[in-house]
Amino acid sequence: MSDDLFAPRVPEEVASRRPLADRLRPKTLGEVTGQEHLTGEDGVLRRMIESGSLGSMIFWGPPGTGKTTVARLLSGEAGLAFEQISAIFSGVADLKKVFEAARMRRMDGRQTLLFVDEIHRFNRAQQDSFLPVMEDGTVILVGATTENPSFELNAALLSRARVLTFKSHEEDSLEELLKRAETVESRPLPLTEDARASLIRMADGDGRAVLTLAEEVWRAAREGETFDTEGLTRIVQRRAPVYDKAQDGHYNLISALHKSVRGSDPDAALYYLARMFDAGEDPLYLGRRLVRMAVEDIGLADPQALVICNAAKDAYDYLGSPEGELAFAQACVYLATAPKSNAVYTAFKAATIAAKQNGSLLPPKHILNAPTKLMKGEGYGEGYRYDHDEPDAFSGQDYFPEKMGRQTFYDPPERGFEREIRKRLDWWAKLRKERNPR
């Protein structure tokens, strides 16, 4: 902890062996790269410091974007004591000790910035324990999370803290980190131009990762050796994509895939499908999502869409991976290039609302079966007209409950196969008026 003024001084030769990412940790907010919207001259955090008033915050962003570093620098520039805990290793007893130490400092006139890493891992009760010390000013809470705070944190906690979003590093800021590393190491990174660009892409927006990869390259390079892209891949292997199948990465990519299909962009849809396969997503999960797209976004505009998606699932079951993945790719392209309609989806939602709002209304008696004399006496089945015996196989009877009246939920557009369905519905509506004018 930064309060400990009597911590032993680390010998210089030992400090030089610290990981490169640690040695390059910024000393001031102005040195932080990639988060200028927060730490720049006109950034949110800079304005807070200048106003002399810091409030509790939640830092939300991917790994390696500087959340911990910024919290530590923030406490230093604001003149606050800094305490750091991790939700992975801390429990209620640890929180009580931290809160008590903060209260003692406050009595001495010094406020505490409490940085909680992975705050989303605390359960609801543990998150609630922060509320009193936030409200009475004992601590300024800065929580860090890689997960969406809206889903993972208590509403009460969120109402007392401002959420600040940390962005993945762009290629320019990762390049700046590599140049700083070369300055500290007093030697260039032994990579060709293409290999250097490849290393930056491997880092996937993670500042810590790009420095760790660079360190691996320096360790592996022999005297006078320079790696091309193939050599780089061989030395550092390939860093797995940032993708957690149970968290934000998962939902972000499936959302992107779904919207690309809906937007009739087969190229973008294939890209996101490939990314999810590459990240190890369960192929059958993707198959289920494609079926969902077929019924939600294509519907009866192309009835074959659902058939093809189910056939893709069967093909995958038959072929296995990786050959079976091509069947899902084919289904994905079919969906993206099919005519779009959400008319059935919209109609079903409207019908569901109507069903809930109107209660248990009895269908009209003329369409109810009458298996007993009593039911016949009550008029069940009376007046029913068998459509196959009517002209055009259409009686035009009313099938809605009498108290509800006729409703219209399904409104097919003039696209794809639904253009034909629209013609049928319009024709039946005309006949209905002619044969049942009331």
Side-chain angles (χ1 to χ4, degrees):
M1 296 178 189
S2 61
D3 276 4
D4 191 356
L5 301 177
F6 304 101
R9 185 174 179 276
V10 180
E12 190 171 328
E13 65 274 12
V14 175
S16 66
R17 293 198 296 269
R18 288 183 295 134
L20 183 59
D22 190 45
R23 283 183 280 146
L24 280 175
R25 198 178 292 275
K27 303 295 190 298
T28 67
L29 283 176
E31 294 180 8
V32 174
T33 62
Q35 309 303 329
E36 285 74 17
H37 63 296
L38 300 176
T39 62
E41 285 300 316
D42 202 35
V44 174
L45 294 176
R46 177 63 59 192
R47 288 175 176 272
M48 285 186 183
I49 292 172
E50 291 174 356
S51 71
S53 176
L54 287 182
S56 291
M57 292 167 275
I58 302 297
F59 289 173
W60 173 32
T65 50
K67 297 185 292 294
T68 304
T69 296
V70 168
R72 187 178 291 275
L73 295 174
L74 195 61
S75 70
E77 298 202 15
L80 304 173
F82 183 79
E83 286 270 10
Q84 178 175 350
I85 61 172
S86 169
I88 299 175
F89 303 111
S90 304
V92 174
D94 301 296
L95 291 176
K96 287 181 177 178
K97 290 178 182 177
V98 170
F99 295 159
E100 187 56 35
R103 288 191 184 96
M104 296 297 292
R105 286 193 202 94
R106 192 179 179 210
M107 292 175 63
D108 291 335
R110 193 177 186 199
Q111 201 168 16
T112 300
L113 186 151
L114 173 58
F115 177 71
V116 183
D117 199 15
E118 303 284 346
I119 191 171
H120 62 276
R121 292 183 181 269
F122 275 136
N123 61 36
R124 300 289 175 178
Q126 289 170 320
Q127 290 181 30
D128 283 341
S129 69
F130 290 105
L131 303 181
V133 293
M134 292 167 66
E135 288 177 346
D136 67 12
T138 299
V139 302
I140 293 173
L141 175 69
V142 176
T145 177
T146 55
E147 307 303 333
N148 192 322
S150 301
F151 301 141
E152 303 295 337
L153 299 182
N154 282 359
L157 184 61
L158 285 176
S159 70
R160 293 164 173 80
R162 180 175 183 177
V163 176
L164 299 181
T165 303
F166 280 63
K167 301 176 182 178
S168 293
H169 282 274
E170 300 288 344
E171 291 187 4
D172 288 347
S173 59
L174 291 178
E175 174 61 35
E176 184 177 338
L177 287 176
L178 289 182
K179 289 178 179 177
R180 289 186 188 180
E182 289 171 324
T183 299
V184 167
E185 289 287 321
S186 300
R187 51 180 172 163
L189 200 58
L191 295 173
T192 65
E193 186 176 337
D194 288 343
R196 189 183 184 98
S198 180
L199 183 140
I200 288 174
R201 287 194 298 272
M202 285 181 183
D204 208 4
D206 186 327
R208 187 186 304 109
V210 80
L211 295 175
T212 301
L213 289 169
E215 204 163 24
E216 290 180 29
V217 169
W218 270 313
R219 288 195 190 107
R222 296 190 178 100
E223 185 72 27
E225 188 174 20
T226 299
F227 297 115
D228 59 12
T229 302
E230 183 179 344
L232 170 68
T233 304
R234 187 175 62 252
I235 292 299
V236 302
Q237 299 302 307
R238 181 178 177 276
R239 188 168 180 271
V242 175
Y243 181 83
D244 186 334
K245 287 187 284 184
Q247 302 296 340
D248 276 359
H250 164 87
Y251 295 112
N252 288 342
L253 288 188
I254 197 61
S255 175
L257 172 60
H258 196 148
K259 289 180 174 64
S260 298
V261 166
R262 181 182 296 152
S264 300
D265 190 334
D267 298 308
L270 277 177
Y271 166 70
Y272 290 116
L273 182 72
R275 275 189 62 179
M276 296 185 83
F277 275 133
D278 186 52
E281 182 59 80
D282 178 7
L284 293 183
Y285 168 79
L286 290 171
R288 288 193 295 272
R289 299 314 303 171
L290 291 172
V291 168
R292 169 70 182 192
M293 296 171 208
V295 296
E296 179 180 340
D297 293 295
I298 287 85
L300 292 177
D302 186 346
Q304 285 299 306
L306 180 57
V307 175
I308 284 176
C309 286
N310 280 318
K313 182 264 183 189
D314 291 340
Y316 181 84
D317 285 341
Y318 190 52
L319 293 173
S321 182
E323 291 88 351
E325 292 165 4
L326 183 59
F328 287 131
Q330 180 173 317
C332 179
V333 171
Y334 190 96
L335 295 180
T337 55
K340 303 300 186 295
S341 170
N342 70 342
V344 173
Y345 177 69
T346 302
F348 183 64
K349 286 202 298 184
T352 300
I353 292 171
K356 291 179 179 179
Q357 289 177 343
N358 289 281
S360 303
L361 297 178
L362 188 71
K365 288 183 178 180
H366 66 269
I367 66 170
L368 299 179
N369 291 330
T372 68
K373 288 183 179 180
L374 175 62
M375 296 172 77
K376 285 181 181 178
E378 290 291 324
Y380 282 46
E382 184 178 337
Y384 174 65
R385 291 150 61 188
Y386 187 58
D387 284 84
H388 292 290
D389 292 339
E390 298 288 326
D392 305 305
F394 182 77
S395 67
Q397 295 172 103
D398 190 5
Y399 299 100
F400 276 93
E402 292 178 9
K403 292 184 179 180
M404 190 173 173
R406 178 158 190 82
Q407 305 287 316
T408 300
F409 301 128
Y410 180 49
D411 184 23
E414 293 279 350
R415 289 193 297 276
F417 182 70
E418 281 184 303
R419 183 182 293 110
E420 297 301 316
I421 296 176
R422 165 60 69 190
K423 291 177 183 177
R424 296 177 198 174
L425 291 177
D426 290 344
W427 182 56
W428 285 328
K430 176 176 174 291
L431 292 180
R432 188 178 289 111
K433 286 181 180 180
E434 292 173 354
R435 296 174 186 182
N436 296 278
R438 61 179 178 84

